[in-house]
Amino acid sequence: MLWNASSLMGYMIAATDGEIGTVDDLLFDDHDWTIRWLVVDTGTWLSGRKVLLPPEACGEPLAATRELRVNVTRQMVEESPSIDTDAPVSRLQESDVFGYYGWEPYWLGYPYATAAGMPNPVPPESAVGSLEGSDDAIAGAAPRGDPNLRSVSEVTGYYIHASDGDIGHVEDFLLDADSWALRYLIVDTKNWWPGKKTLVSPKSFRRVNWNDGTVSTSLTKDGIKSAPEYDPAQTVDRAYEERYHDYYGYPAYWI
């Protein structure tokens, strides 16, 4: 099922023993356009502190109650490493979070979810103990520096350039709740094609300029106009995706 990224903002994060906070933002890897972290605002519980949780640690989003359940306790979250989410999150900081919970980092390519889709964290004492005196080892396994994480909130509003002119700006994202991959950008074309919105797949991107907030795509304006029409009032189902992928000649990600 595809979800609007914006619709997940404000979802309550439920630990095994109570509420942790709400989803404040989503951070994605700009190499493969996959959500890597949920930024959780803990509100007054931890005096406005924000924490990171990987989406694989969460169950399926529950639309009826607007919540995501995670297999950790409130105490574990309270004692987790502090992260300054107002600054770029480094690979070393990510390593600290994964090490604390005893989960395998995503960049090692190992699955760490249980059959239910939620990892079983190692007790914090064991996780910290196993890393004792190993700062150099952590730094060596996970190099310092920008891990190319980007904020969904930040990229919303970026301008999209077709190969022959501007087509609009990013209004939202459609993500796959199974893999948490960003499958499409929803583009508002009101300055070029009034009253219309269109979907653009990251598969078509030629260049993203993070400094000036623009995305260049190999698609043409006429090609976009002739693509299967996107109606935001309708659910993007597999039949629509098949027409979309057939039109552009993209391989089907679901196979």
Side-chain angles (χ1 to χ4, degrees):
M1 177 178 176
L2 298 181
W3 292 74
N4 287 69
S6 63
S7 71
L8 296 177
M9 304 301 178
Y11 262 48
M12 188 265 284
I13 303 295
T16 57
D17 55 354
E19 181 179 345
I20 295 173
T22 57
V23 178
D24 183 68
D25 201 355
L26 303 169
L27 303 182
F28 67 93
D29 185 335
D30 66 14
H31 285 306
D32 56 13
W33 291 74
T34 297
I35 301 296
R36 297 304 186 186
W37 297 101
L38 281 69
V39 180
V40 181
D41 187 340
T42 62
T44 56
W45 173 48
L46 295 180
S47 300
R49 178 183 162 200
K50 294 180 182 179
V51 298
L52 298 179
L53 288 173
E56 294 89 346
C58 302
E60 182 81 12
L62 302 176
T65 54
R66 287 183 55 80
E67 69 177 291
L68 287 160
R69 296 175 182 172
V70 60
N71 192 24
V72 298
T73 65
R74 285 166 59 91
Q75 181 179 354
M76 292 174 72
V77 173
E78 185 173 8
E79 296 175 358
S80 65
S82 296
I83 299 291
D84 180 7
T85 56
D86 292 329
V89 177
S90 72
R91 182 54 56 85
L92 189 59
Q93 290 174 313
E94 291 184 281
S95 297
D96 288 343
V97 176
F98 279 119
Y100 169 79
Y101 285 109
W103 296 333
E104 292 286 358
Y106 62 84
W107 56 84
L108 296 182
Y110 299 136
Y112 58 91
T114 66
M118 300 169 68
N120 289 318
V122 175
E125 303 81 51
S126 300
V128 173
S130 66
L131 298 176
E132 191 173 306
S134 62
D135 288 346
D136 291 340
I138 297 174
R144 297 173 183 270
D146 182 1
N148 299 303
L149 294 179
R150 307 292 175 179
S151 160
V152 160
S153 297
E154 174 198 348
V155 177
T156 300
Y158 272 29
Y159 283 94
I160 306 291
H161 299 315
S163 62
D164 54 354
D166 297 345
I167 62 171
H169 65 270
V170 179
E171 183 179 82
D172 206 345
F173 301 79
L174 288 179
L175 62 86
D176 182 345
D178 291 329
S179 64
W180 289 82
L182 295 171
R183 300 300 185 188
Y184 310 99
L185 279 67
I186 300 176
V187 180
D188 187 340
T189 65
K190 62 184 178 183
N191 293 330
W192 160 59
W193 192 12
K196 296 291 183 180
K197 301 182 192 297
T198 190
L199 298 184
V200 174
S201 168
K203 295 177 184 294
S204 72
F205 293 169
R206 294 192 305 185
R207 185 170 62 90
V208 181
N209 190 321
W210 303 110
N211 293 322
D212 65 8
T214 60
V215 180
S216 297
T217 173
S218 60
L219 307 178
T220 65
K221 297 171 76 171
D222 284 343
I224 292 171
K225 274 193 173 183
S226 300
E229 184 174 351
Y230 169 66
D231 182 355
Q234 301 294 321
T235 300
V236 174
D237 57 16
R238 187 50 48 80
Y240 174 88
E241 288 193 279
E242 288 175 347
R243 294 196 304 274
Y244 184 95
H245 280 63
D246 287 345
Y247 174 79
Y248 284 116
Y250 299 147
Y253 66 82
W254 54 88
I255 297 178

